[in-house]
Amino acid sequence: MGNQKPSIPKGTRDFGPEEMAKRNYIFNTIKEVYALYGFQQIETPAMETLKTLMGKYGEEGDKLLFKVLNSGDYLSKVSDEELAERNCLRLASCLCEKGLRYDLTVPFARYVVMHRDELQLPFKRYQIQPVWRADRPQKGRYREFYQCDADVVGSDSLLNEVELMQIIDTVFQRLGIRVQIKINNRKILTGIAEVIGEADKIVDITVAIDKLDKIGLDNVNEELRNNGLSEEAIEKLQPIISLSGTNDEKLNVIADVLQSSEVGVKGVEETRFILDCLKTCDLKNEMQLDLTLARGLNYYTGAIFEVKALDTPMGSITGGGRYDNLTGIFGMPGLSGVGISFGADRIYDVLNTLDLYPKEAVTTTELLFINFGECETAYCLPLVTKARQAGIRTEMYPDKAKMKKQMSYANAKGIAFVALAGENEMAEGKLTLKNMKTGEQKLVSIDELIREVK
Amino acid sequence: MGNQKPSIPKGTRDFGPEEMAKRNYIFNTIKEVYALYGFQQIETPAMETLKTLMGKYGEEGDKLLFKVLNSGDYLSKVSDEELAERNCLRLASCLCEKGLRYDLTVPFARYVVMHRDELQLPFKRYQIQPVWRADRPQKGRYREFYQCDADVVGSDSLLNEVELMQIIDTVFQRLGIRVQIKINNRKILTGIAEVIGEADKIVDITVAIDKLDKIGLDNVNEELRNNGLSEEAIEKLQPIISLSGTNDEKLNVIADVLQSSEVGVKGVEETRFILDCLKTCDLKNEMQLDLTLARGLNYYTGAIFEVKALDTPMGSITGGGRYDNLTGIFGMPGLSGVGISFGADRIYDVLNTLDLYPKEAVTTTELLFINFGECETAYCLPLVTKARQAGIRTEMYPDKAKMKKQMSYANAKGIAFVALAGENEMAEGKLTLKNMKTGEQKLVSIDELIREVK
């Protein structure tokens, strides 16, 4: 290949040591909280059969799947005609049997169906793995990115919703990010549409209501009118548009408006139950009922969640909801579930912007032994071992390089302590320990050094 | 798609909760030890450009690369002639620009070259990610599997080799697996070939020597004769074939045989230095000089390592060595390195066979609150929160199911304690705590419960 200048595929990223340390801090925090709530981790293969993936993400999604060329003689089953036809989509299904996973939900559904006999229901699983989408790369959007999903399947209980809100609250509390947790319910939105007799206008209505603060009530009503809502419908919507106060006050207003809609009443009851339970759960972040929250409407059937950071503008950093019939497409009907997904890339950006990474999370090596040559390293080697046995992340600079170079290595890696042993130290059986922050130096035994560094 | 029966691509695996817990135990142990020695984690994308991957693994390797079909109109740049030609290899390079990584070494070399200006040398990196190979699937061989590599690049010092041996020793000590760490040196093998004048016979010689225990000296010599070695060469090899005793004794014999070979002498010196250093490092496992160790001969240029488990028959569970010119192929010559790779799948099997997983590593939920209905769960919810705040991995069964079902859930998940609160407990502001192992039950306050479970 010669002296090529290497690159990586567009939309993909390398993660260097500092980025990895920060990302691990996020992932580990999420994992620990998931485990605290009894969720168990699974992993599925990067490649799924195209049979599993195709038709699950709409027509657009099918196009965004990365397809993997069959290995070996991948042309053997393709006729001359099929080749000559040059139909990319049709030909792809001949050339490829596998694709890269597009999300974690479809592989999870496939997993549940394949392992139905081993699984204890309700099954609380979490999964943190990369997914791939052939989206047009743009700022903040990647072709490879991690999803961090938790779902409970096989239980209709709203206690699962309660628990997932607690998980969200705990994760962001541990990360030090102040958030607002928004909750809505698909059934409430359906109820609203029913009551005003405009079943297909849910999205228009939520979009218009969402603009209240910006454009004022008159303009919202005007927009609804332009969207084809009748004056009667707009009249009925007024209490909903001007909704304010506590969650309980809002729920009372909504309950009043929706009393004629069975599904609407159900949505109010569900939301009330979830919010009432959460009052006893010592949440650190605010729960807010927000009727304009309308994510995943062709997917979610009950509660809908979304999380926004309070101290920096950023889109949704976590979301989720309740869905029906996760596994029906794979021949196992009637299994509903509820899940959430943390947006690791956005959380990463929030932590960076607010400078919230704890120092321990990003420090790697704590102690560096300077290399003065063969005789000195022979003296140091057992001491290095002792420091490590005491749990101190320790390096010995491998080469007898100039002091300046070794010191700049320590600085570049953010190493807090440097140990030096020359003739004098060796004669006394000791070391000089330098605190890289204060510049302070002292002569110490290895035991003293360990106490000092720890 | 209808009611299809889902499957996963051959050679790939799902990892369920128990497998994941065990695998995480292995990966976390390796990560902690890598970090203890100052190695920093990086990650590279699953997809690399085929330019980066092709030609790096030999002709066979090129065939085993999974190639990813270009997205969009992937046929636009393919001529009718190229299509009609039906040359799979040639056509693939038109249809595909990307492939799945085949190992972690080539992506690492690519990473080092692309990030050369940010990197502080020596660069000690570790990387734990899956790789993909279109190998014929067979028992114990998968098309997707994790590699766990650590490498130091940009330092020729043998202290790096010493450190990597310490890492191996520490990892297996922590995992509780007794191992033998074998070491050899490519320069010694080259020296042997030089001395006997048979430079191209290294592999034949090591293979024959390896059979000494099984077939005896006469048959080894016969095999060497059949491989075309001269009587003089075989005569010179006798001390090497019958090599025994301590590592020092072996090195003395080899030094004697190789004194006329400059490279051979160098190999002996290197090995002696590494083994001498390790004597002062408090290793828990045995280092063994083994001249029959001949892995990666077209790759490694200095030390070669391999690890075998002592208490169960299993192939090599870890390996590595020193190599020159990692990045030359990407236009950055002169960068040598040394690395090791833990074989996670085999280590998994060893730990299973020897039943060495610590109980903590595989337990998930510690405490389950039984669900007796809405009133009781309302009573329990704040207590569940308290248990979690105390760090106890806690669940509340979400549905008001039959007691038997809830208990069998606890058993299936290996939950050690169950908490029950009915009318009596609620009246007293207490809980009944049941130890699932002993069957013992007692009435406790939430604070007593927390003390008991922790």
Side-chain angles (χ1 to χ4, degrees), chain A residues 279-341:
Chain A
K279 283 177 193 161
T280 71
C281 292
D282 196 19
L283 294 197
K284 298 295 183 284
N285 294 285
E286 186 208 351
M287 292 292 311
Q288 198 191 42
L289 173 60
D290 181 353
L291 291 191
T292 69
L293 179 57
R295 58 185 292 147
L297 280 191
N298 49 5
Y299 187 64
Y300 293 131
T301 54
I304 307 173
F305 324 116
E306 191 168 275
V307 180
K308 289 238 161 92
L310 287 178
D311 299 318
T312 180
M314 176 73 64
S316 160
I317 55 177
T318 292
R322 156 110 22 209
Y323 45 85
D324 282 340
N325 203 11
L326 173 72
T327 52
I329 196 102
F330 297 119
M332 184 183 175
L335 201 65
S336 85
V338 55
I340 53 171
S341 184

Side-chain angles (χ1 to χ4, degrees), chain B residues 306-326:
Chain B
E306 192 167 275
V307 179
K308 289 238 160 96
L310 288 177
D311 299 318
T312 180
M314 175 72 64
S316 159
I317 55 176
T318 292
R322 160 128 354 229
Y323 45 84
D324 282 340
N325 203 13
L326 171 72

Side-chain angles (χ1 to χ4, degrees), chain A residues 126-346:
Chain A
Y126 78 89
Q127 190 169 356
I128 300 181
Q129 290 192 278
V131 301
W132 296 270
R133 298 180 183 181
D135 263 319
R136 196 166 296 279
Q138 47 182 284
K139 196 180 169 336
R141 182 172 287 188
Y142 303 101
R143 292 186 149 193
E144 173 181 67
F145 59 97
Y146 273 75
Q147 292 192 332
C148 313
D149 289 14
D151 292 81
V152 189
V153 294
S155 164
D156 294 330
S157 166
L158 295 170
L159 290 173
N160 298 302
E161 277 84 340
V162 171
E163 194 166 272
L164 290 170
M165 296 306 94
Q166 289 184 280
I167 287 178
I168 290 174
D169 181 70
T170 309
V171 164
F172 288 110
Q173 188 195 331
R174 290 193 179 186
L175 292 175
I177 301 176
R178 298 196 315 129
V179 298
Q180 192 176 54
I181 308 172
K182 290 164 184 275
I183 185 168
N184 194 7
N185 195 301
R186 169 60 193 263
K187 296 190 177 96
I188 292 180
L189 295 179
T190 306
I192 293 173
E194 267 186 29
V195 165
I196 63 171
E198 303 272 7
D200 55 334
K201 292 262 163 36
I202 302 183
V203 173
D204 291 340
I205 295 170
T206 61
V207 167
I209 297 179
D210 197 25
K211 293 181 184 165
L212 182 67
D213 286 347
K214 269 193 209 141
I215 63 177
L217 183 60
D218 289 348
N219 289 316
V220 168
N221 287 336
E222 186 59 28
E223 188 165 323
L224 291 171
R225 225 165 268 132
N226 294 339
N227 283 323
L229 261 71
S230 69
E231 287 305 318
E232 197 198 338
I234 293 172
E235 189 54 41
K236 277 193 188 152
L237 271 180
Q238 293 311 301
I240 301 272
I241 297 173
S242 315
L243 207 60
S244 68
T246 64
N247 291 331
D248 285 331
E249 286 164 356
K250 288 180 184 172
L251 278 173
N252 290 338
V253 172
I254 301 167
D256 197 45
V257 175
L258 298 189
Q259 49 186 302
S260 67
S261 161
E262 196 183 327
V263 62
V265 169
K266 188 99 194 340
V268 171
E269 277 171 11
E270 287 184 9
T271 309
R272 206 190 295 273
F273 179 86
I274 296 168
L275 291 173
D276 279 348
C277 283
L278 287 170
K279 283 177 193 161
T280 71
C281 292
D282 196 19
L283 294 197
K284 298 295 183 284
N285 294 285
E286 186 208 351
M287 292 292 311
Q288 198 191 42
L289 173 60
D290 181 353
L291 291 191
T292 69
L293 179 57
R295 58 185 292 147
L297 280 191
N298 49 5
Y299 187 64
Y300 293 131
T301 54
I304 307 173
F305 324 116
E306 191 168 275
V307 180
K308 289 238 161 92
L310 287 178
D311 299 318
T312 180
M314 176 73 64
S316 160
I317 55 177
T318 292
R322 156 110 22 209
Y323 45 85
D324 282 340
N325 203 11
L326 173 72
T327 52
I329 196 102
F330 297 119
M332 184 183 175
L335 201 65
S336 85
V338 55
I340 53 171
S341 184
F342 286 94
D345 285 309
R346 285 187 171 175

Side-chain angles (χ1 to χ4, degrees), chain A residues 2 14-15 24 37-38 41 43 67 69 74 78 80 86 88 110 115 155 157 329 388 398-399 413, chain B residues 2 14-15 24 37-38 41 43 67 69 74 78 80 86 88 110 115 155 157 163 329 388 398-399 413:
Chain A
D14 285 325
F15 296 111
N24 282 336
Y37 283 75
Q41 192 174 12
E43 282 190 4
K67 300 177 182 76
L69 196 64
Y74 58 87
V78 186
D80 286 336
R86 286 179 164 271
C88 276
R110 194 266 310 143
H115 300 269
S155 164
S157 166
I329 196 102
R388 285 181 184 139
D399 305 284
K413 261 186 133 168
Chain B
D14 285 326
F15 296 111
N24 281 337
Y37 283 76
Q41 190 174 12
E43 283 190 3
K67 298 176 185 77
L69 196 65
Y74 59 86
V78 186
D80 287 335
R86 286 179 163 271
C88 276
R110 193 266 311 143
H115 300 269
S155 165
S157 166
E163 195 165 270
I329 196 102
R388 285 179 184 141
D399 304 283
K413 261 186 134 167

Side-chain angles (χ1 to χ4, degrees), chain B residues 40-249:
Chain B
Q40 298 178 303
Q41 190 174 12
I42 70 161
E43 283 190 3
T44 61
M47 291 187 281
E48 295 276 351
T49 67
L50 283 176
K51 262 191 196 142
T52 295
L53 298 176
M54 295 286 283
K56 309 301 191 297
Y57 308 105
E59 218 171 295
E60 196 52 31
D62 282 353
K63 282 187 200 154
L64 299 183
L65 290 172
F66 281 110
K67 298 176 185 77
V68 176
L69 196 65
N70 293 339
S71 39
D73 184 5
Y74 59 86
L75 288 171
S76 66
K77 286 180 204 153
V78 186
S79 71
D80 287 335
E81 281 166 10
E82 279 167 319
L83 271 182
E85 205 187 14
R86 286 179 163 271
N87 180 324
C88 276
L89 210 60
R90 194 123 22 110
L91 190 59
S93 65
C94 303
L95 301 174
C96 306
E97 282 168 5
K98 299 177 288 295
L100 297 181
R101 70 174 158 253
Y102 182 87
D103 70 0
L104 301 178
T105 306
V106 167
F108 175 51
R110 193 266 311 143
Y111 176 92
V112 169
V113 174
M114 276 181 70
H115 300 269
R116 60 211 291 178
D117 296 331
E118 312 147 35
L119 290 183
Q120 187 72 30
L121 295 183
F123 182 44
K124 301 165 80 171
R125 90 85 171 76
Y126 77 89
Q127 191 168 356
I128 299 182
Q129 290 190 278
V131 301
W132 296 270
R133 297 180 184 182
D135 263 321
R136 195 166 297 278
Q138 46 183 285
K139 196 182 168 337
R141 182 172 288 189
Y142 302 101
R143 291 185 150 194
E144 172 180 70
F145 59 97
Y146 273 75
Q147 292 192 330
C148 313
D149 288 15
D151 291 81
V152 190
V153 294
S155 165
D156 295 330
S157 166
L158 296 170
L159 290 173
N160 297 303
E161 276 84 338
V162 172
E163 195 165 270
L164 290 171
M165 296 306 95
Q166 290 183 278
I167 286 177
I168 289 174
D169 182 68
T170 309
V171 164
F172 287 110
Q173 188 196 327
R174 290 192 179 187
L175 292 175
I177 301 176
R178 298 194 317 128
V179 297
Q180 190 176 57
I181 307 171
K182 291 166 183 273
I183 184 169
N184 193 6
N185 195 300
R186 167 62 192 262
K187 296 190 177 93
I188 291 179
L189 295 178
T190 307
I192 292 171
E194 265 185 32
V195 164
I196 63 171
E198 302 272 9
D200 55 334
K201 293 260 160 41
I202 302 184
V203 174
D204 291 341
I205 294 169
T206 59
V207 167
I209 298 177
D210 196 26
K211 295 182 184 165
L212 182 66
D213 284 349
K214 268 193 209 140
I215 64 176
L217 184 60
D218 288 350
N219 289 317
V220 168
N221 287 336
E222 186 59 28
E223 187 164 324
L224 291 171
R225 223 167 269 128
N226 293 341
N227 283 324
L229 261 72
S230 69
E231 287 305 321
E232 197 196 338
I234 292 171
E235 188 55 40
K236 277 191 189 155
L237 271 182
Q238 291 311 298
I240 300 274
I241 298 173
S242 316
L243 207 58
S244 69
T246 64
N247 292 332
D248 285 331
E249 286 163 357

